[in-house]
Amino acid sequence: MSKVTVNENVVVEATPDKAWALVGDFAGLVAWFPAVASSEVEGSGVGAIRHLSMPDGNQLTERQETRDEAGRSYEYVVIAGALPCTDYRSQLSVSPSGRGSRISWRAQFLPIPNAPVDAVAFISSVYRGGLDSAKKLLDGD
């Protein structure tokens, strides 16, 4: 089986700098992402390790692989935890869009055959929930 890609985007009214201040904080995921109940981060920048606890008790451990402040993006990989996929690599980025900005979340991974949930639908739904939450916070809805 080959890798698949999930891309989710949202356009917000906030400037790229304001959007990046919210979603670009590797240690601050819990402030805007409802699928995470708590987050502990070891280190900072490239190589930082993020331990996430979900409301259902599941846990994920992620490592920041790249960080580009000027380009407003970072990449991370999952190094431990239960997902319906393997070889998971993701990028979160912010770019200008009209008078606001576009937040883009992209993942590449190998779905696990016969997993209890469809990996593409699951990742897409999780990203969509996070981006919708960020939009509410940034647009003041």
Side-chain angles (χ1 to χ4, degrees):
M1 181 176 275
S2 59
K3 281 191 175 183
V4 297
T5 300
V6 168
N7 282 300
E8 292 291 339
N9 302 280
V10 68
V11 174
V12 298
E13 295 171 7
T15 65
D17 285 342
K18 185 174 179 184
W20 180 242
L22 179 67
V23 303
D25 181 2
F26 190 71
L29 192 63
V30 74
W32 62 274
F33 189 51
V36 174
S38 68
S39 172
E40 294 181 23
V41 176
E42 301 170 28
S44 63
V46 173
I49 303 292
R50 178 166 67 186
H51 303 279
L52 306 174
S53 295
M54 311 314 160
D56 65 2
N58 270 336
Q59 304 214 344
L60 282 179
T61 303
E62 301 170 336
R63 181 179 58 238
Q64 188 169 227
E65 296 287 290
T66 67
R67 182 160 193 91
D68 179 359
E69 286 296 328
R72 296 186 195 93
S73 71
Y74 70 82
E75 291 185 7
Y76 63 95
V77 296
V78 170
I79 57 175
L83 285 175
C85 56
T86 61
D87 201 16
Y88 177 98
R89 182 178 198 90
S90 185
Q91 180 184 53
L92 189 61
S93 63
V94 175
S95 59
S97 179
R99 289 192 275 183
S101 52
R102 175 181 303 277
I103 304 169
S104 302
W105 210 346
R106 178 177 180 260
Q108 287 188 307
F109 51 84
L110 291 169
I112 295 174
N114 303 315
V117 297
D118 176 79
V120 171
F122 175 76
I123 299 298
S124 182
S125 173
V126 169
Y127 281 13
R128 188 80 258 140
L131 292 172
D132 289 348
S133 176
K135 181 173 178 61
K136 284 182 183 178
L137 290 168
L138 290 165
D139 288 354
D141 292 344

